[in-house]
Amino acid sequence: WPDGQAMPTTSSLNWTAGKTIANAVTVKVGTDDKVSVRNAAGETHVLFDVVGYYDDDSGTGGGLTPLTPKRIIDSRAATQVGPYATKWGPGTTRDVTVTGGSTTVPSGADSVVLNVTVTGGTAGSFLTIWPDGESQPTASSINFSAGQTIPNAVTTKVGVGGDVKIFNGAGSANVIVDVVGYFDQGSGSAFRPLPSPVRIQDSRAGSKVGAYGTPWGAGTDRDVQVTGSLAAIPDSAVAALLNVTAVAPSAG
């Protein structure tokens, strides 16, 4: 959370002992250009990779255009989307086109916001995602254990030919990519950070916030109000940046 503000109740990242896991976190910059990080229990190493920033100067970046999620890659043969119908192997890098065609992202977009899911991994590993034409960074975009299905939000600059590269470190794993928005110079909506994260829904009865105080059941759809007084987001907003946490599920 921003340095100089009170610590919020929000969790930015949850894990179990021994697990390596990543999450995308957008945070307002606080006092002395710092953010504060608190660990609740045990000991853990923490790695930070900065992937971008928001600025009030309209000339330095693009605005966000949110999209209805659109699947552009599914490497599972039975549900294939895009050019790959096999798993990413160990040490494998593949190019994924994220603009033009059926992606719903216009050619020339500066960067894209992706929901990337890994499933069916044969070993603990990680994916790294970066713009085509650039050197591979040391950052991991998503970490996973063998057999785990796990997503992460990934914002990446668009590379040469409208492509990004996706690298898998070890074992073999299926990769699913959904595009959920893009940034482009001179268009889209500006990002407005809140002073500190605000919890707008907690379905646990003992700490209920928002409309629901019971778990989501199997196949349940519920509407969550994301604008208004509780969320501190104006009704005019066209998109919301959320941290969503599932707690104590009864099934995968």
Side-chain angles (χ1 to χ4, degrees), residues 43-154:
E43 295 181 339
T44 185
H45 289 292
V46 179
L47 288 66
F48 272 44
D49 301 295
V50 62
V51 297
Y53 65 95
Y54 296 91
D55 199 317
D56 289 336
D57 183 353
S58 60
T60 61
L64 172 68
T65 299
L67 300 171
T68 300
K70 169 75 172 181
R71 183 149 297 175
I72 59 173
I73 290 290
D74 186 340
S75 66
R76 298 171 294 181
T79 53
Q80 180 186 357
V81 177
Y84 308 115
T86 58
K87 293 181 176 183
W88 264 245
T92 295
T93 300
R94 288 171 171 172
D95 291 345
V96 173
T97 301
V98 294
T99 67
S102 63
T103 68
T104 67
V105 176
S107 299
D110 296 330
S111 56
V112 289
V113 184
L114 308 172
N115 190 69
V116 181
T117 304
V118 175
T119 189
T122 61
S125 185
F126 64 93
L127 298 184
T128 297
I129 302 172
W130 74 99
D132 190 17
E134 302 288 341
S135 300
Q136 181 177 341
T138 56
S140 61
S141 304
I142 184 168
N143 302 77
F144 55 95
S145 305
Q148 185 179 24
T149 298
I150 186 172
N152 198 14
V154 176

Side-chain angles (χ1 to χ4, degrees), residues 169-189:
S172 298
N174 283 306
V175 177
I176 302 163
V177 179
D178 302 294
V179 61
V180 298
Y182 64 92
F183 293 92
D184 201 4
Q185 189 73 41
S187 66
S189 302

Side-chain angles (χ1 to χ4, degrees), residues 9-10 25 46 69 71 76 80 87-89 106 112 133 162 173 198 200 204 211 225 234 241:
T9 56
T10 306
V25 177
V46 179
R71 183 149 297 175
R76 298 171 294 181
Q80 180 186 357
K87 293 181 176 183
W88 264 245
V112 289
V198 178
I200 61 172
R204 297 173 294 182
Q225 185 76 32
L241 183 63

Side-chain angles (χ1 to χ4, degrees), residues 216-238:
W216 262 248
T220 297
D221 297 324
R222 287 172 169 173
D223 294 338
V224 175
Q225 185 76 32
V226 295
T227 66
S229 58
L230 181 63
I233 298 174
D235 293 338
S236 59
V238 298

